[in-house]
Structures are given as C-alpha cells and as structure tokens.
C-alpha cells in the first residue's frame, strides 16, 4: 500500500501567504508610497486581479501583512522562551534577548516595521494593531517578571522600561550592526534585568 500524500496547504492559503510575503518585501524596499496592488502583483508574479481576488484592496493587504509580521516575531519569542527551559530567569532572559538575533534582528524587518509605523497616525486599523502588539509584548514580559519574583506593584513600570531598552538596542543593531554586537546588546539587557529585579525585590 502506498503512503498517503503529505499534507499541503490549500492553494488559497498558499497564494495568500505568497502575496503577504511579497507585500512585506515591497514595503521594506519602497515604503508605503510604493506599495500598490500593481507593485505587489509584479513582486509576487501574479496579475493585479488575482490580488483583488484574495484581498479587498491595498489597505486590507497591508493590515494582513502587519498581522503576519507580528505573528512571526511572536513565534520567534515563544520559541526562544520554550528553548530556555523551566527556569524563570532563563525564560525572561531568552524573551528579552531574542530580539537581538534573527529573524527579529533584521534590517529588512526594520524597514518593514518602519513602513507600518508611518501608517499608525493615519490609519485607525494599523494604530489598533500597533497598540495590541505592544500591549501583548508587555503583558508577556510582565508575566515573566512576575515569575522571577518582581512584586506586582513594580511590574508595569519595569515592563515599560525593558521594552524601551529592547526597542532601542534592536533599532540600533538593525540600523548600524557594526556599532555593537548582539552579544553586547544581550549583556546590556541582562544587566538591566539584574538591577530591576534586585531593586524590585528589595523594595517589594
């Protein structure tokens, strides 16, 4: 008896994924000003009509791409935490420093995010996605800090401070990778975590 065929994504799902990937590349290369249905169709090697078959215009396609990119980052963070094992501090370190390694530490990803950020002030749906993404990141960070013994009263401010630190290091690492290394970014982030956790516990 022959083996059953391996599972494959349905053609519509595969086509949608291809269009989202093409949109991310166009946004990274051209910004929002160059992201048109025609440009994305050319990038994906399909007709503009086919883009319209899967997405109700460029706004819907960009929103779907934002969701996909955010999901990719979340998956990378989750994988880093899972690989760190059960130790709470190792899990926290892994979550914080995963941003300094691929696929998150990427010049192309930065360019794509920059295109999304340019829309936050002009599109309510993108602003909402941005707020939800930031809130989810901070909530996960607060939970990991709580596992490390940080008092509840200090979780919010600590998570905001760490998020700002990670964002700043990530941004410079992507913009100027020769300025400092991922290892240096890791060391800086871990030293700040040490200080926050130590201070938080003693002041608890």
């Amino acid at each position: 008896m022959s083996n059953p065929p391996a599972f494959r994504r349905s053609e519509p799902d595969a086509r949608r994924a291809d269009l989202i990937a093409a949109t991310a590349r166009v946004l990274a290369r051209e910004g929002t000003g160059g992201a048109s249905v025609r440009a994305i169709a050319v990038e994906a090697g399909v007709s503009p009509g086919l883009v319209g078959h899967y997405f109700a215009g460029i706004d819907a396609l960009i929103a779907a791409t934002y969701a996909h990119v955010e999901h990719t980052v979340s998956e990378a963070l989750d994988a880093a935490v899972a690989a760190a094992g059960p130790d709470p501090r190792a899990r926290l370190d892994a979550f914080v420093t995963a941003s300094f390694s691929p696929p998150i530490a990427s010049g192309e990803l930065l360019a794509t995010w920059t295109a999304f950020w340019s829309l936050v002030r002009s599109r309510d749906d993108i602003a909402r996605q941005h707020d939800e993404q930031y809130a989810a990141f901070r909530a996960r960070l607060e939970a990991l800090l709580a596992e490390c013994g940080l008092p509840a009263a200090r979780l919010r401010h600590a998570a905001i401070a760490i998020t700002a630190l990670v964002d700043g290091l990530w941004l410079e690492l992507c913009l100027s990778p020769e300025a400092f290394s991922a290892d240096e970014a890791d060391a800086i982030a871990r030293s700040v975590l040490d200080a926050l956790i130590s201070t938080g516990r003693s002041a608890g």
Side-chain angles (χ1 to χ4, degrees):
M1 175 183 283
S2 62
N3 292 326
F7 172 78
R8 296 180 180 177
R9 285 184 303 178
S10 65
E11 179 63 24
D13 285 348
R15 184 65 73 186
R16 283 177 60 88
D18 289 344
L19 292 172
I20 286 171
T23 303
R25 292 193 300 272
V26 171
L27 286 169
R29 188 175 62 244
E30 307 291 344
T32 55
S36 65
V37 168
R38 181 170 296 280
I40 291 164
V42 170
E43 181 73 21
V46 300
S47 69
L50 189 64
V51 177
H53 176 75
Y54 288 101
F55 295 95
I58 188 64
D59 287 354
L61 183 47
I62 288 176
T65 304
Y66 191 117
H68 170 75
V69 171
E70 191 279 326
H71 180 69
T72 299
V73 170
S74 294
E75 281 192 327
L77 294 172
D78 289 342
V81 171
D87 180 70
R89 180 54 197 270
R91 286 161 52 82
L92 174 62
D93 285 350
F95 182 82
V96 168
T97 63
S99 294
F100 310 137
S101 301
I104 302 177
S106 158
E108 184 173 357
L109 181 62
L110 170 61
T112 305
W113 274 127
T114 301
F116 292 140
W117 293 334
S118 72
L119 296 172
V120 167
R121 306 291 280 179
S122 60
R123 282 184 51 179
D124 290 342
D125 58 333
I126 299 297
R128 183 169 55 254
Q129 286 179 277
H130 169 76
D131 290 346
E132 290 171 355
Q133 182 258 341
Y134 176 77
F137 182 92
R138 203 180 72 202
R140 292 154 81 193
L141 186 51
E142 287 183 15
L144 290 166
L145 287 164
E147 290 178 11
C148 290
L150 200 69
R154 293 183 172 269
L155 291 176
R156 174 181 166 81
H157 285 180
I160 292 172
I162 294 167
T163 301
L165 172 70
V166 171
D167 284 350
L169 290 170
W170 169 80
L171 179 61
E172 289 302 325
L173 194 60
C174 292
L175 284 173
S176 304
E178 302 303 320
F180 56 85
S181 68
D183 287 343
E184 288 177 298
D186 278 351
I188 292 167
R190 290 170 194 262
S191 67
V192 172
L193 288 174
D194 285 341
L196 282 171
I197 291 172
S198 176
T199 302
R201 284 173 174 168
S202 62

